[in-house]
Amino acid sequence: ETGVTQSPTHLIKTRGQQVTLRCSSQSGHNTVSWYQQALGQGPQFIFQYYREEENGRGNFPPRFSGLQFPNYSSELNVNALELDDSALYLCASSLAGIHTIYFGEGSWLTVV
Amino acid sequence: KNEVEQSPQNLTAQEGEFITINCSYSVGISALHWLQQHPGGGIVSLFMLSSGKKKHGRLIATINIQEKHSSLHITASHPRDSAVYICAASWETSGSRLTFGEGTQLTVNP
């Protein structure tokens, strides 16, 4: 039990649709990072939010966007879904300056 | 460029064997993480270290800063150890953002 909750756990979308994934971080953690993990590969960094501001972004197009709310929960939004967006999306929370990181169980997205 | 490389990609062992998974990284990390991922997808943090050695039960993690290398050892392996083990690093310049290795799929047979 890491205290990081993600929803939904599984979902199927059609190419061209939009999706919103949600993450409730560990209590008090002000930093949330999102990762995409394709099958058989290691996770890839999408972006990070610190105190409601984007604080670093990986090599993902602008149709991947996010939000962090005052309670530090977070959303990942993906527009114009493509087949290659099918992956496990992981949320990780931490406290800025502290290296311990807690992961959620992930959201499995399938785009058909 | 911040990089993490892990080996082997796949590892099959018999119950009771001693297992080693290796990880190398580019210079200047602030922390090295060993993580475990089960088929359901969730990731559990096993160790976070920046120097020396840490031990938890049958798991041991070591890091050699000069060699830019870390190892995860499992003693007396058991089928329940079967999982993907991933090393990941963070750098001072990137805060808590992690760069992951590709993972090692470990299968321990009874």
Side-chain angles (χ1 to χ4, degrees):
Chain A
E1 185 75 31
T2 65
V4 179
T5 306
Q6 289 188 242
S7 63
T9 54
H10 294 80
L11 72 167
I12 301 172
K13 289 286 190 177
T14 303
R15 191 171 51 182
Q17 285 188 314
Q18 178 267 343
V19 68
T20 297
L21 307 178
R22 295 178 176 83
C23 174
S24 175
S25 59
Q26 171 86 292
S27 177
H29 281 189
N30 53 20
T31 303
V32 174
S33 302
W34 286 92
Y35 296 88
Q36 180 196 65
Q37 186 177 21
L39 204 59
Q41 297 182 19
Q44 298 292 318
F45 176 73
I46 304 174
F47 44 57
Q48 181 181 91
Y49 278 82
Y50 169 66
R51 291 190 174 181
E52 304 178 56
E53 297 284 334
E54 188 177 290
N55 182 41
R57 187 178 183 92
N59 189 27
F60 282 81
R63 58 189 187 83
F64 285 77
S65 63
L67 282 174
Q68 187 180 32
F69 300 98
N71 66 355
Y72 301 139
S73 65
S74 177
E75 285 183 357
L76 164 65
N77 299 289
V78 187
N79 294 320
L81 284 166
E82 300 176 0
L83 297 180
D84 285 349
D85 296 333
S86 296
L88 175 67
Y89 289 85
L90 292 159
C91 164
S93 78
S94 60
L95 188 59
I98 306 295
H99 289 291
T100 304
I101 298 172
Y102 297 88
F103 287 85
E105 292 293 313
S107 293
W108 290 94
L109 171 65
T110 301
V111 182
V112 298
Chain B
K1 182 180 175 184
N2 297 337
E3 292 182 330
V4 177
E5 293 186 357
Q6 193 174 337
S7 65
Q9 189 173 7
N10 293 282
L11 182 56
T12 300
Q14 289 301 120
E15 185 173 356
E17 286 185 2
F18 180 84
I19 287 162
T20 296
I21 300 170
N22 296 299
C23 179
S24 60
Y25 53 85
S26 56
V27 68
I29 64 167
S30 55
L32 191 288
H33 301 253
W34 281 102
L35 310 161
Q36 181 190 56
Q37 186 172 35
H38 281 280
I43 290 179
V44 174
S45 178
L46 299 174
F47 296 103
M48 180 186 68
L49 64 167
S50 55
S51 65
K53 174 181 174 178
K54 288 190 176 181
K55 183 176 189 294
H56 181 70
R58 295 179 294 106
L59 301 178
I60 303 167
T62 63
I63 189 168
N64 183 318
I65 301 299
Q66 287 72 31
E67 297 291 325
K68 300 191 292 290
H69 180 268
S70 177
S71 293
L72 175 68
H73 305 285
I74 304 176
T75 61
S77 60
H78 190 276
R80 65 174 175 266
D81 296 328
S82 299
V84 175
Y85 292 84
I86 308 174
C87 71
S90 57
W91 281 262
E92 289 292 347
T93 52
S94 57
S96 57
R97 164 183 177 172
L98 295 178
T99 298
F100 291 78
E102 292 294 309
T104 296
Q105 173 67 63
L106 171 65
T107 303
V108 181
N109 294 317

